[in-house]
Amino acid sequence: MNPRRIALAGVILGLCSLLSFGALAADAKVKKSATDIAIGKECVACHMDDNPGLVGEWKKSSHAKQNVDCYDCHKATEGTPGAYKHREYKGKPNFITTVVSPKVCATCHAKEVDQQQPSHHALGGQILASLDNIMGEVIGGPAAVTAGCLQCHGSKVALDANNRPTPQTWPNTGIGRINPDGSLGSCSACHSRHRFSAAQAREPDTCGKCHLGPDHPQKEIYEESKHGIAFAAHKEEMNLKSKKWVVGKDYTAAPTCATCHMSATERQEVTHDVGERISWTLRPAVSVKLNMVRTDDKKAYDLPASIALPQVGDTYKGAKVVEVVTWEKRRKAMQDVCTACHTKRQIEGHYKQFDDVVELYNDKFAKPIAAMMGELTAKGYLTSAPFDEKIEWTWWEIWHHEGRRARHGAAMMGPDYTWWNGIYQVAQRTYFEWIPQMREAVRKKDGNEAFADALLQKYFKPIEGHDWYFNGISKDAIEKVRQGYEDRYGKGALK
Amino acid sequence: MNPRRIALAGVILGLCSLLSFGALAADAKVKKSATDIAIGKECVACHMDDNPGLVGEWKKSSHAKQNVDCYDCHKATEGTPGAYKHREYKGKPNFITTVVSPKVCATCHAKEVDQQQPSHHALGGQILASLDNIMGEVIGGPAAVTAGCLQCHGSKVALDANNRPTPQTWPNTGIGRINPDGSLGSCSACHSRHRFSAAQAREPDTCGKCHLGPDHPQKEIYEESKHGIAFAAHKEEMNLKSKKWVVGKDYTAAPTCATCHMSATERQEVTHDVGERISWTLRPAVSVKLNMVRTDDKKAYDLPASIALPQVGDTYKGAKVVEVVTWEKRRKAMQDVCTACHTKRQIEGHYKQFDDVVELYNDKFAKPIAAMMGELTAKGYLTSAPFDEKIEWTWWEIWHHEGRRARHGAAMMGPDYTWWNGIYQVAQRTYFEWIPQMREAVRKKDGNEAFADALLQKYFKPIEGHDWYFNGISKDAIEKVRQGYEDRYGKGALK
Amino acid sequence: MNPRRIALAGVILGLCSLLSFGALAADAKVKKSATDIAIGKECVACHMDDNPGLVGEWKKSSHAKQNVDCYDCHKATEGTPGAYKHREYKGKPNFITTVVSPKVCATCHAKEVDQQQPSHHALGGQILASLDNIMGEVIGGPAAVTAGCLQCHGSKVALDANNRPTPQTWPNTGIGRINPDGSLGSCSACHSRHRFSAAQAREPDTCGKCHLGPDHPQKEIYEESKHGIAFAAHKEEMNLKSKKWVVGKDYTAAPTCATCHMSATERQEVTHDVGERISWTLRPAVSVKLNMVRTDDKKAYDLPASIALPQVGDTYKGAKVVEVVTWEKRRKAMQDVCTACHTKRQIEGHYKQFDDVVELYNDKFAKPIAAMMGELTAKGYLTSAPFDEKIEWTWWEIWHHEGRRARHGAAMMGPDYTWWNGIYQVAQRTYFEWIPQMREAVRKKDGNEAFADALLQKYFKPIEGHDWYFNGISKDAIEKVRQGYEDRYGKGALK
């Protein structure tokens, strides 16, 4: 524990009752030294003149009500990363830091930070450490990475000679920010400063800062879904400022992103590990179900369901396994949320429809195309460098953009995203862009068109869904559709 | 009338005053047998434990206030489609159904269901019985149709061996759902269960569950329009929970989708036939004005304005014509809504601008391209199968996506959709994708480039708007634009 | 001053206190002749029957409270442009005008109109006087220009034989409408009739009528940004109906478009010249910083920072320069708004990140491509006509759509727009569409592929960011990325 945390923790009066829900700050006034109180007052007074909006927001916060002021969070110990002198008090310099990291927040909100540190969110900055980043840095440009990618993923906050964050790395509220003190993430990504409101974090727009757009339009999907429609219609009944905010109890009008992924039910506590209830990963080219392993060094690891799981007590990545959460258990946790408002059949039907879309995407499109891309590279038809050939961008958009939209659409009941923005585009692009580009890449290299044909024969032909590509949409196929529809709608139903 | 309906209707006390607006449920408490009351209480008690959000929403509904509970709607007669045993009461099994169809809702809301059954909405499931569905089933995949198309259009609810809806067909709140009892549609598509709120159905987001996205972005267009801006700014003045909700009387701040297409004016009653006030169909490749014929078997038929109309009293499709609503009459019904807030000149100007865009789209792009597609197929340059050639997708997106966006944009005053998302894309795609692909299709088949030229000469050349394609953007044309603008803005205005 | 204005001004009682903020109408009841009062009452009574929504909105307006009714704004002098007879009073005809122009509004709101008349907004109609308009008129079609472009930019309102606006040019609330009386713009573009609410004009949706979509998604960017998230969460605390609406004082929850671009701070008054605080123009193909010159004929001119500035007192465009506002001064005005809620480092960091994106876009993509397009045209590889070759559409979308999205995304902190909808698309399109199309244009014309190579060597080769294109994404380049990330995240971080 760094000296700063000890200092702040030291001034907290009495025992915090260890409630299942809620955090210390909301339960007890913070007490501190006369000096700290006086410095804090000076901060407030001066910034009230300079930045009245900033201080005004803080005044509305729980922090203000609990006596937690600027200095409590920004105070720093000389010599620690990011600490710099900012004015003085009674002849002694004040040291503060611009960056308030989760480590600082943990002084009062330890439980939440312990959940957040090993989460997928906190690791957002490390996701950038992949070849994909070449797309941003090399093909786009560093400035676009700074103002684009890193504002969501988080960057490593760099300090200048005066220990202040550099303008290239600050402002930055990326969810996976790498802080000067080594902690990961940014609580203010969701609990915007200087109000730090839990209510705001429960609103879908908060998540929409990053979860939107061509590659993962969760916000748009939510807004299309029955859930989002109900939220828009009944927001004033959502009881968003409620402390515990238990679905089915404190509110019934609609779920938000937070409801399903984080917040409390009558049987589950709130969690700040946002991936805990997720059974499929819809992120990669091919979706897999994910088990999770938690170790006693407060880390967590997602493992594909195909990989053998360590057991509680085993050593994993140099630490002891303390919990194994299978994908089935994660799914049950999510279904427990559904149960607050839906009966079993509804939930099972939803998951069936969702699983079917993921498997359609995986099996008909993603797996065979990924395998063919591998063969094309292995045989030298494509270079091993990423993104230097058009077909690589085509495949990228099939899985990273359109395929994700389909999968997320099905996960969250946004039919337009499942179909028009999803599988419709995956299919169109596969048949009318990827295949021609694949043929062209082979033709250009050595004219061995038989190889291109063989690839398709090997990977697409055995899949029933591709039959029309090889045999045409035959009269039989049209007849089959006709028959199906006549069974449903009566004779002559098919125009 | 099925026994279930008779039973529920039978327990309703007294006479329902036949008000022009509003439905029985809102006017009188429902009375029922002691057994049904007791069973209903058990439903509520048990599901309050299991699904508190579901029951909580119902408690806020008009249904709860009127004494209509779970059992009143879900009660079923043994042996009828979808009826299954669910627990028992005093040793006798209770039969219920999962699917609550419009036929059930009609027990109390007969007038609304009578309007809804013959509507375009109720027929949403039959639209799938078209060749276009091959795109979904064959080229996309059945799972994408289930979680995509059918969640808006509605599917036929299939029952398993235990008379419960299969997970592939449930959940389903598609507007044209085909129910086990043969009725069409789903009231909860708009009146979301279990609140069944009229207020929510009046919100644009409700319609936006399906009316959004690349092929018909009505929600986005509305949000851009003056109407949507006013709604967002003054939602709290919209009096959405008002019973009659007459525009200009109960609210003046803004119209929503419901205002224009369904709700009451001082001269018109609310209608649950959403197409009643629509004079153009903007759905198909080529827009036509639509007359409507209503027959005494409670059906309705849209007929293009070019087709001779039957008269009241004639036999049509085996039934007697009871009403003929011309497109002019439909338009007048819509303009009556406009009149609540706008004067005549404003309304006429709007319709002039709207008609002009539809005709520009029809005459410059849709009709000639459709004719050329027909010739290409007739001459064997294209197969008769749909969607197996890239140019078919191009034409599809011109009319089904971009051309609709232009037409809907003009209909609802969203300039960005009329131009950037609409005609701009129609034009660019026509000249720089469709024409080159047409030439390529001909070249590939037999190299008869003269045929491609002749097609364009026959269909595009006579149209003034295509002159630039054949003769270049001549200095004269540029000069004409320059002149027009200098007349407006003064000499040298054209850079 | 036209006689109408004199007439209305004449009936205004007493002196208006010249407050810094606010307008006359809000401060004093308007007095007028008994005849005008009587006529006004007749207008209201009759239109209350015919158009209750219109009158109902007016009744909620400040106008109604201040005794300003239909006749005060629509009254016109016989023989002036747009004046026509509409009913009579005591045997004498009333003359009114449909179009209420800023000149009319200036009767009471002179200060606001004086700011608005020389603004970029008021000149929206003149922007159409460019070659780009050929795209709309010639390639799209006049009807699409009317219902599309002109509904935002504004058109010249044409009058029919009866002095009423033609249906092609009315309705029109385009921001740069050219009115029959020669004044520019439409106050109701933002202050929607007939409520004319300042509160509504402060909402982001109001600006979103035009500032959205593929070519300038300011609304979408705002909604993604921390600013928009905070607005959505705390709208009820925004005090939108406050008269002065000073940021940091009257509200602290969030800024809207108006806050930053128009509204008051503790040090700045509200301005209706919306470009006053803008230092970069992000509109053209290549962004430049803009100085502004104001002259004593109430005009304003934006001058690129590269052009020598006239001094106060100089003659410029036939008038005397009364103010020179450098881009630095404009930026300081904007930063003053930021300061209400943010400290200096945050603001500097934001501008650094923003400037870097604009310069990346300018220097890596826009300038060299623009130069190559020029050479291609000069050498006859492209015609001088706009939009008749596919590469011209490609370049158009790079700068007009995608490049703007990147720049606006960075300006307003919408990371998705900076990257996925911005630079990602600029880069992909440049390398995989523009370059191949450029090579194809050269090949088709004379097969001089060396010229195409030479172009790229001349314009792209010297730019470091294009190195990968010429030398491949070398192992060194990948290694460099790997190294950078290993420095940040530790060994083996790069998968």
Side-chain angles (χ1 to χ4, degrees):
Chain A
M1 207 186 209
N2 72 25
R4 225 200 123 282
R5 286 185 69 188
I6 294 169
L8 178 53
V11 298
I12 299 170
L13 238 207
L15 290 160
C16 347
S17 51
L18 285 170
L19 294 168
S20 303
F21 308 93
L24 180 142
D27 300 322
K29 287 236 174 187
V30 170
K31 270 213 176 172
K32 39 200 175 178
S33 72
T35 301
D36 282 6
I37 291 172
I39 295 173
K41 281 191 177 159
E42 283 195 6
C43 301
V44 170
C46 198
H47 281 286
M48 189 66 203
D49 283 344
D50 290 353
N51 321 102
L54 187 163
V55 179
E57 281 297 287
W58 167 78
K59 282 184 174 172
K60 291 182 172 171
S61 72
S62 293
H63 280 173
K65 290 186 191 74
Q66 302 302 331
N67 216 14
V68 176
D69 63 28
C70 318
Y71 195 55
D72 291 312
C73 301
H74 286 280
K75 185 182 178 183
T77 305
E78 186 175 2
T80 59
Y84 59 89
K85 186 177 162 306
H86 178 68
R87 303 189 175 266
E88 54 183 37
Y89 180 74
K90 292 193 176 171
K92 284 180 64 182
N94 303 328
F95 279 85
I96 65 163
T97 175
T98 298
V99 183
V100 177
S101 78
K103 207 173 260 182
V104 176
C105 302
T107 315
C108 297
H109 304 277
K111 186 175 173 184
E112 288 77 9
V113 173
D114 276 354
Q115 293 164 344
Q116 172 265 346
Q117 285 295 302
S119 73
H120 199 67
H121 263 169
L123 302 175
Q126 300 189 350
I127 283 170
L128 288 170
S130 74
L131 268 176
D132 302 351
N133 192 57
I134 284 180
M135 182 195 282
E137 295 275 355
V138 175
I139 298 175
V145 172
T146 296
C149 320
L150 300 181
Q151 294 301 326
C152 282
H153 282 280
S155 64
K156 185 179 168 84
V157 178
L159 301 172
D160 66 15
N162 299 313
N163 260 337
R164 298 181 183 222
T166 62
Q168 283 91 342
T169 65
W170 195 263
N172 191 309
T173 56
I175 198 86
R177 196 176 67 202
I178 301 164
N179 299 294
D181 64 11
S183 65
L184 299 176
S186 158
C187 301
S188 66
C190 306
H191 299 285
S192 292
R193 59 195 172 212
H194 282 97
R195 173 104 57 134
F196 311 107
S197 154
Q200 183 176 327
R202 290 165 179 159
E203 300 224 8
D205 291 292
T206 293
C207 311
K209 187 192 157 209
C210 298
H211 292 276
L212 89 171
D215 59 332
H216 42 43
Q218 286 104 333
K219 185 195 171 199
E220 295 91 329
I221 293 166
Y222 173 79
E223 287 176 353
E224 186 194 2
S225 76
K226 281 284 195 185
H227 292 159
I229 294 165
F231 176 75
H234 305 294
K235 187 178 160 186
E236 76 285 359
E237 300 177 19
M238 288 293 294
N239 203 6
L240 288 161
K241 292 181 181 168
S242 147
K243 189 157 168 49
K244 294 191 180 176
W245 210 56
V246 178
V247 64
K249 197 168 155 184
D250 295 313
Y251 64 105
T252 61
T256 70
C257 314
T259 301
C260 300
H261 292 283
M262 302 181 76
S263 301
T265 71
E266 298 211 65
R267 281 169 292 272
Q268 282 183 88
E269 290 186 17
V270 62
T271 175
H272 279 71
D273 180 349
V274 79
E276 217 169 78
R277 301 171 189 170
I278 288 178
S279 41
W280 278 112
T281 171
L282 306 178
R283 196 192 56 73
V286 174
S287 279
V288 291
K289 284 167 178 153
L290 287 180
N291 299 313
M292 178 165 49
V293 170
R294 295 192 183 279
T295 48
D296 64 355
D297 53 354
K298 295 194 176 179
K299 292 196 171 164
Y301 303 90
D302 276 327
L303 297 177
S306 58
I307 287 177
L309 275 173
Q311 302 297 309
V312 171
D314 288 358
T315 297
Y316 188 78
K317 303 264 182 188
K320 204 170 106 183
V321 173
V322 291
E323 191 182 10
V324 172
V325 194
T326 62
W327 72 263
E328 291 93 341
K329 206 170 158 187
R330 296 171 100 163
R331 176 168 290 197
K332 281 211 180 81
M334 181 65 86
Q335 292 180 332
D336 167 58
V337 184
C338 309
T339 300
C341 300
H342 299 289
T343 54
K344 201 180 158 204
R345 184 149 298 256
Q346 180 91 357
I347 299 165
E348 286 174 354
H350 164 67
Y351 268 93
K352 167 71 177 158
Q353 294 180 14
F354 167 34
D355 287 350
D356 284 355
V357 168
V358 177
E359 280 158 14
L360 169 70
Y361 162 79
N362 265 356
D363 297 339
K364 180 169 176 182
F365 299 102
K367 287 178 185 171
I369 299 178
M372 288 187 272
M373 291 295 290
E375 282 216 25
L376 288 164
T377 306
K379 296 287 195 313
Y381 289 106
L382 299 177
T383 67
S384 60
F387 303 117
D388 62 344
E389 283 145 324
K390 188 161 185 148
I391 195 174
E392 292 171 321
W393 293 74
T394 303
W395 165 226
W396 165 264
E397 293 204 349
I398 287 174
W399 75 261
H400 186 272
H401 285 38
E402 297 146 10
R404 278 198 197 155
R405 294 198 296 252
R407 291 175 277 169
H408 286 127
M412 293 165 59
M413 288 158 294
D416 219 63
Y417 290 87
T418 304
W419 177 245
W420 290 119
N421 291 304
I423 294 294
Y424 169 79
Q425 298 207 333
V426 167
Q428 186 182 11
R429 202 183 266 272
T430 296
Y431 293 121
F432 297 98
E433 295 190 24
W434 188 86
I435 290 179
Q437 286 166 10
M438 183 272 284
R439 290 188 181 284
E440 177 61 23
V442 172
R443 189 180 304 124
K444 210 173 121 191
K445 170 89 178 171
D446 63 10
N448 180 8
E449 304 209 11
F451 177 75
D453 284 333
L455 265 191
L456 294 172
Q457 288 286 333
K458 179 173 171 190
Y459 290 102
F460 269 1
K461 191 78 192 306
I463 297 169
E464 195 193 346
H466 292 302
D467 182 71
W468 78 273
Y469 180 79
F470 297 96
N471 300 313
I473 304 180
S474 65
K475 283 181 190 166
D476 280 1
I478 296 176
E479 189 51 37
K480 200 176 143 196
V481 171
R482 182 197 308 278
Q483 196 56 49
Y485 277 82
E486 296 207 340
D487 289 352
R488 288 188 197 172
Y489 305 115
K491 201 151 184 67
L494 190 65
K495 281 171 283 191
Chain B
M1 206 184 210
N2 72 24
R4 224 200 125 283
R5 286 185 69 188
I6 295 169
L8 178 52
V11 298
I12 298 170
L13 237 208
L15 292 160
C16 347
S17 51
L18 286 170
L19 294 168
S20 302
F21 309 93
L24 181 141
D27 300 322
K29 286 235 174 188
V30 170
K31 270 212 173 171
K32 38 200 177 179
S33 72
T35 301
D36 282 6
I37 291 172
I39 295 173
K41 282 191 177 157
E42 282 196 6
C43 302
V44 170
C46 198
H47 282 285
M48 190 66 204
D49 283 346
D50 289 353
N51 320 102
L54 187 163
V55 179
E57 280 298 286
W58 167 77
K59 282 185 173 172
K60 290 183 172 170
S61 71
S62 293
H63 280 173
K65 290 186 190 74
Q66 302 302 330
N67 214 15
V68 176
D69 63 28
C70 318
Y71 195 54
D72 291 311
C73 301
H74 286 280
K75 185 182 178 182
T77 306
E78 185 175 3
T80 58
Y84 59 88
K85 186 177 164 305
H86 178 69
R87 303 187 177 266
E88 55 184 37
Y89 180 75
K90 292 192 177 172
K92 285 181 63 183
N94 303 327
F95 279 84
I96 63 162
T97 177
T98 297
V99 183
V100 177
S101 79
K103 208 172 259 182
V104 176
C105 302
T107 314
C108 297
H109 305 276
K111 187 175 172 182
E112 288 75 10
V113 174
D114 277 354
Q115 293 164 344
Q116 172 265 345
Q117 284 296 300
S119 74
H120 199 68
H121 263 169
L123 303 174
Q126 299 188 351
I127 283 170
L128 287 170
S130 75
L131 269 176
D132 301 351
N133 191 58
I134 285 181
M135 183 196 280
E137 295 275 357
V138 175
I139 298 176
V145 173
T146 296
C149 320
L150 300 181
Q151 294 300 325
C152 283
H153 282 280
S155 65
K156 185 179 167 82
V157 179
L159 301 171
D160 66 16
N162 300 314
N163 261 336
R164 298 181 184 222
T166 62
Q168 283 89 343
T169 65
W170 195 263
N172 190 309
T173 56
I175 197 87
R177 194 175 69 201
I178 301 164
N179 299 294
D181 64 10
S183 65
L184 299 176
S186 160
C187 301
S188 66
C190 307
H191 300 285
S192 292
R193 61 196 170 211
H194 282 94
R195 173 105 56 133
F196 311 107
S197 154
Q200 183 176 326
R202 290 166 180 158
E203 300 224 7
D205 291 293
T206 293
C207 312
K209 185 192 157 210
C210 298
H211 293 274
L212 88 171
D215 59 332
H216 43 43
Q218 287 101 335
K219 186 196 170 197
E220 295 91 330
I221 292 167
Y222 172 79
E223 288 177 352
E224 185 194 4
S225 76
K226 281 285 195 185
H227 292 158
I229 294 165
F231 176 76
H234 305 295
K235 187 178 160 185
E236 76 287 358
E237 299 177 20
M238 287 294 293
N239 203 6
L240 287 161
K241 292 181 182 169
S242 148
K243 189 159 170 44
K244 295 192 180 174
W245 209 55
V246 177
V247 64
K249 197 169 154 183
D250 294 315
Y251 64 104
T252 61
T256 70
C257 315
T259 301
C260 299
H261 293 282
M262 304 183 75
S263 301
T265 71
E266 296 210 65
R267 280 168 294 272
Q268 282 183 89
E269 289 185 18
V270 63
T271 176
H272 279 71
D273 181 349
V274 78
E276 220 170 74
R277 302 171 188 168
I278 287 178
S279 41
W280 278 112
T281 171
L282 306 178
R283 193 193 57 74
V286 175
S287 279
V288 292
K289 282 165 180 155
L290 287 180
N291 299 315
M292 178 163 50
V293 169
R294 294 192 182 280
T295 50
D296 65 355
D297 55 352
K298 296 192 174 181
K299 292 195 170 164
Y301 303 91
D302 276 326
L303 297 177
S306 57
I307 287 176
L309 274 174
Q311 302 297 309
V312 170
D314 288 358
T315 297
Y316 188 78
K317 303 262 181 187
K320 205 170 103 184
V321 173
V322 292
E323 191 183 10
V324 172
V325 195
T326 61
W327 71 264
E328 291 93 342
K329 207 168 155 187
R330 296 172 99 164
R331 177 168 289 196
K332 281 210 179 82
M334 181 65 87
Q335 291 180 333
D336 167 58
V337 185
C338 309
T339 301
C341 300
H342 299 289
T343 56
K344 203 181 156 203
R345 184 149 298 257
Q346 180 91 357
I347 300 166
E348 286 174 353
H350 165 66
Y351 268 93
K352 167 71 177 157
Q353 294 179 14
F354 167 32
D355 286 350
D356 283 355
V357 168
V358 176
E359 281 157 13
L360 169 70
Y361 162 78
N362 266 355
D363 297 338
K364 180 169 176 182
F365 300 102
K367 288 178 186 173
I369 299 178
M372 288 187 270
M373 291 296 289
E375 282 215 26
L376 288 164
T377 307
K379 297 288 197 309
Y381 290 107
L382 300 178
T383 68
S384 60
F387 304 118
D388 63 343
E389 284 147 323
K390 187 162 185 149
I391 194 174
E392 292 171 322
W393 293 75
T394 303
W395 165 227
W396 165 263
E397 293 204 348
I398 287 174
W399 76 261
H400 187 272
H401 285 36
E402 296 145 10
R404 280 200 196 153
R405 295 199 295 252
R407 290 175 279 170
H408 285 128
M412 293 165 59
M413 289 158 294
D416 217 63
Y417 290 87
T418 304
W419 178 245
W420 289 120
N421 291 303
I423 294 294
Y424 169 79
Q425 299 206 333
V426 167
Q428 186 183 12
R429 202 183 266 270
T430 297
Y431 294 120
F432 297 99
E433 296 189 24
W434 188 87
I435 291 180
Q437 287 166 10
M438 184 272 285
R439 292 188 180 284
E440 177 61 23
V442 173
R443 188 181 303 124
K444 210 172 122 190
K445 170 87 179 172
D446 63 10
N448 180 7
E449 304 209 10
F451 177 76
D453 284 334
L455 265 191
L456 294 172
Q457 289 286 331
K458 180 173 171 188
Y459 290 101
F460 269 0
K461 191 78 193 306
I463 297 169
E464 195 193 346
H466 292 302
D467 183 70
W468 78 272
Y469 180 78
F470 297 96
N471 301 314
I473 305 179
S474 65
K475 282 181 189 166
D476 279 4
I478 296 176
E479 188 52 36
K480 201 176 142 195
V481 171
R482 181 197 309 277
Q483 196 56 50
Y485 278 82
E486 297 209 339
D487 288 354
R488 289 187 195 172
Y489 306 115
K491 202 152 180 69
L494 190 64
K495 279 171 284 189
Chain C
M1 207 187 210
N2 72 25
R4 226 200 122 284
R5 284 185 69 188
I6 294 168
L8 178 52
V11 298
I12 298 169
L13 239 207
L15 292 159
C16 345
S17 51
L18 286 170
L19 294 167
S20 304
F21 308 93
L24 179 141
D27 300 323
K29 286 235 174 189
V30 169
K31 269 214 175 171
K32 39 200 174 179
S33 71
T35 301
D36 282 6
I37 290 172
I39 295 173
K41 281 188 178 160
E42 284 195 7
C43 301
V44 169
C46 199
H47 281 286
M48 189 66 204
D49 282 344
D50 290 352
N51 321 102
L54 188 163
V55 180
E57 280 298 286
W58 167 77
K59 282 184 174 173
K60 290 183 173 171
S61 71
S62 292
H63 281 174
K65 288 186 191 75
Q66 303 301 331
N67 215 16
V68 176
D69 62 29
C70 317
Y71 195 55
D72 292 312
C73 301
H74 286 281
K75 185 182 178 182
T77 306
E78 186 176 3
T80 58
Y84 59 89
K85 187 177 163 303
H86 177 69
R87 304 189 176 264
E88 52 183 38
Y89 180 73
K90 292 193 177 173
K92 286 180 63 182
N94 304 328
F95 279 84
I96 65 162
T97 176
T98 298
V99 183
V100 177
S101 78
K103 208 173 260 183
V104 176
C105 302
T107 314
C108 298
H109 305 276
K111 187 175 174 182
E112 288 76 9
V113 173
D114 277 353
Q115 293 165 344
Q116 171 266 344
Q117 285 296 301
S119 73
H120 199 67
H121 263 169
L123 302 175
Q126 299 188 351
I127 283 170
L128 289 169
S130 74
L131 269 176
D132 301 351
N133 191 58
I134 285 182
M135 183 196 280
E137 295 276 356
V138 175
I139 298 176
V145 172
T146 295
C149 321
L150 300 181
Q151 294 300 326
C152 282
H153 282 281
S155 65
K156 185 178 167 84
V157 178
L159 301 171
D160 66 16
N162 299 313
N163 260 336
R164 297 178 187 225
T166 62
Q168 283 89 344
T169 64
W170 195 262
N172 191 308
T173 55
I175 197 88
R177 197 176 67 202
I178 300 165
N179 299 294
D181 65 9
S183 66
L184 299 176
S186 160
C187 301
S188 65
C190 307
H191 300 284
S192 292
R193 59 195 171 212
H194 282 96
R195 173 104 59 133
F196 310 107
S197 154
Q200 184 176 324
R202 289 164 180 160
E203 299 224 8
D205 290 292
T206 293
C207 311
K209 186 191 156 211
C210 298
H211 293 275
L212 87 173
D215 59 330
H216 43 43
Q218 286 102 335
K219 186 195 170 199
E220 295 92 329
I221 293 166
Y222 172 79
E223 287 176 353
E224 185 193 3
S225 76
K226 281 285 196 186
H227 291 158
I229 295 164
F231 176 75
H234 305 295
K235 188 180 158 182
E236 76 284 358
E237 299 177 20
M238 287 293 294
N239 203 5
L240 287 162
K241 291 181 182 168
S242 148
K243 191 159 167 47
K244 295 192 180 175
W245 208 56
V246 178
V247 64
K249 196 169 155 183
D250 294 314
Y251 64 105
T252 61
T256 71
C257 314
T259 301
C260 300
H261 292 284
M262 303 181 75
S263 301
T265 70
E266 296 210 65
R267 281 170 292 272
Q268 281 183 92
E269 290 187 17
V270 64
T271 175
H272 279 71
D273 180 350
V274 78
E276 220 170 75
R277 301 171 188 168
I278 288 177
S279 41
W280 279 111
T281 171
L282 306 179
R283 196 192 56 73
V286 175
S287 279
V288 292
K289 283 166 178 154
L290 287 180
N291 300 314
M292 178 164 50
V293 168
R294 295 192 183 279
T295 49
D296 64 355
D297 54 353
K298 294 193 175 178
K299 292 195 171 164
Y301 302 91
D302 276 327
L303 297 177
S306 58
I307 287 177
L309 273 174
Q311 303 296 310
V312 172
D314 287 359
T315 297
Y316 188 78
K317 303 263 182 188
K320 205 170 107 181
V321 173
V322 292
E323 192 183 9
V324 172
V325 194
T326 61
W327 71 264
E328 291 93 341
K329 206 169 157 188
R330 296 172 100 165
R331 177 168 288 196
K332 281 210 180 82
M334 181 65 86
Q335 292 180 332
D336 167 57
V337 184
C338 309
T339 301
C341 301
H342 299 289
T343 54
K344 202 180 158 203
R345 183 149 299 256
Q346 180 91 356
I347 300 166
E348 286 174 352
H350 164 67
Y351 267 93
K352 166 72 177 158
Q353 294 180 16
F354 167 32
D355 287 348
D356 283 354
V357 169
V358 177
E359 280 157 15
L360 169 70
Y361 162 78
N362 265 355
D363 297 339
K364 180 169 176 182
F365 299 103
K367 287 178 185 173
I369 298 178
M372 287 187 271
M373 290 297 288
E375 282 215 26
L376 288 163
T377 306
K379 296 285 197 310
Y381 289 106
L382 300 177
T383 68
S384 60
F387 303 118
D388 62 343
E389 283 147 323
K390 189 161 184 149
I391 195 174
E392 292 171 321
W393 294 74
T394 303
W395 165 226
W396 165 264
E397 294 204 348
I398 287 173
W399 74 262
H400 187 271
H401 285 37
E402 297 145 10
R404 279 200 197 153
R405 294 199 296 251
R407 290 175 279 168
H408 286 127
M412 293 165 60
M413 288 158 294
D416 218 62
Y417 290 86
T418 304
W419 177 244
W420 289 118
N421 292 302
I423 294 295
Y424 169 78
Q425 298 207 334
V426 167
Q428 185 183 12
R429 203 182 265 273
T430 296
Y431 294 120
F432 296 98
E433 295 191 24
W434 188 88
I435 291 179
Q437 288 167 10
M438 184 272 284
R439 291 188 180 283
E440 178 60 23
V442 171
R443 190 181 303 124
K444 211 173 119 189
K445 171 88 178 171
D446 63 10
N448 180 8
E449 305 209 11
F451 177 75
D453 284 334
L455 265 191
L456 293 173
Q457 289 286 332
K458 179 172 171 190
Y459 290 102
F460 268 1
K461 192 77 194 305
I463 297 169
E464 194 192 347
H466 291 303
D467 182 70
W468 78 273
Y469 180 77
F470 297 95
N471 300 314
I473 305 179
S474 64
K475 282 182 191 165
D476 280 4
I478 296 176
E479 189 51 38
K480 200 176 143 196
V481 172
R482 183 197 309 277
Q483 197 55 49
Y485 278 82
E486 296 208 340
D487 289 352
R488 289 189 196 172
Y489 306 115
K491 203 154 181 65
L494 189 66
K495 280 172 283 189

